[in-house]
Amino acid sequence: MDAPSGPLGPLADVLERLGLYLTVVDEEAEGASLLLDGYGVAVISGKADPGRRRWTAVHELGHHLLQDEYHSDAGVAAGRDEREQIIDQFTEEFLLPADDLLRAWESVDSGQSARSVMVDLAARFRLSWRAVVNRAVHLGVLDRGEARRQKADTPVRGDFLAVYGSTPAPDLEGGATGAQWRRAVMSAWSEGAVTAPRAVELLYGAIREDELPSRQLEESLP
């Protein structure tokens, strides 16, 4: 079966469908994940730029799908074993499928610059500039010399406005959670399983106590 192409939506929602529940916290370490009974939880650093946050989230998904019981990306840049490299390859393909990049690259043959194609991809797929340039290199459409020049010239807001018409919408901002998680918390509140402060805490400030709906606890039938 062919997988759908095109950019992914909010990653917290996407990853929940694959059994990984995440949020974004104010910590230095890029990300960490934990597996329990087939389900996973992950935390992502909100201090990274939006494109990097999406990359880290999918990297943690890779560990989740490989059933790694615990993983932390703290200091991961210091060394990468074969397993990490495989997960990075998975992350590239998950966030920017080869077919999508190669299809977009056909515009270069029609006279569009390689840079404008990559700026458009970075905006639509909400990836860091470095990740898009590396993806083009790995797929053999951009040589390493040109890649070094492009990495030294990171696009500014004006570049995105000129090519894409707007700046990329940020994803995975502080306290982000997926829709399934939010519905589960609200269900727990409605059923009396959690207190109001705990519900607010679990939703990472997305709601205030005075915004919680009235509880509708059903009385037991005689």
Side-chain angles (χ1 to χ4, degrees):
M1 179 182 295
D2 291 334
S5 63
L8 295 168
L11 279 184
D13 292 335
V14 173
L15 270 56
E16 278 185 339
R17 298 172 200 165
L18 298 169
L20 182 64
Y21 298 83
L22 66 80
T23 192
V24 182
V25 297
D26 187 25
E27 296 290 343
E28 293 291 345
E30 288 197 14
S33 56
L34 178 68
L35 179 70
L36 180 65
D37 296 332
Y39 289 91
V41 292
V43 290
I44 307 300
S45 172
K47 296 187 176 182
D49 66 72
R52 184 64 191 180
R53 293 198 297 263
R54 283 170 66 86
W55 177 278
T56 302
V58 176
H59 187 90
E60 295 304 329
L61 174 64
H63 284 284
H64 169 69
L65 294 177
L66 289 176
Q67 300 289 281
D68 289 340
E69 292 186 358
Y70 173 76
H71 173 261
S72 172
D73 272 323
V76 71
R80 292 191 177 274
D81 57 20
E82 184 178 357
R83 191 178 187 86
E84 292 291 327
Q85 293 173 10
I86 291 172
I87 292 175
D88 277 349
Q89 292 169 5
F90 160 79
T91 302
E92 280 191 332
E93 181 64 22
F94 193 90
L95 286 170
L96 179 51
D99 287 347
D100 286 337
L101 185 144
L102 296 175
R103 189 178 302 113
W105 211 265
E106 293 173 0
S107 300
V108 176
D109 296 332
S110 303
Q112 188 175 356
S113 71
R115 180 177 176 82
S116 64
V117 169
M118 291 189 294
V119 168
D120 179 70
L121 288 170
R124 289 195 294 117
F125 287 81
R126 291 190 281 181
L127 278 172
S128 70
W129 180 241
R130 183 181 184 86
V132 173
V133 174
N134 284 342
R135 186 67 166 143
V137 171
H138 297 161
L139 292 175
V141 295
L142 192 72
D143 65 57
R144 295 189 179 276
E146 180 60 23
R148 285 193 295 271
R149 289 188 288 273
Q150 292 293 345
K151 287 178 183 178
D153 188 17
T154 303
V156 295
R157 289 175 62 89
D159 290 307
F160 288 110
L161 293 177
V163 174
Y164 185 63
S166 64
T167 53
D171 189 21
L172 298 178
E173 297 189 283
T177 55
Q180 289 183 25
W181 177 270
R182 294 191 294 272
R183 286 195 294 267
V185 172
M186 295 308 298
S187 177
W189 156 255
S190 178
E191 295 170 4
V194 296
T195 63
R198 182 57 173 160
V200 171
E201 181 184 15
L202 289 170
L203 292 171
Y204 297 92
I207 194 172
R208 301 190 308 268
E209 286 189 36
D210 62 1
E211 294 174 323
L212 289 167
S214 299
R215 280 177 168 160
Q216 297 179 350
L217 300 177
E218 296 184 358
E219 297 183 359
S220 300
L221 295 176

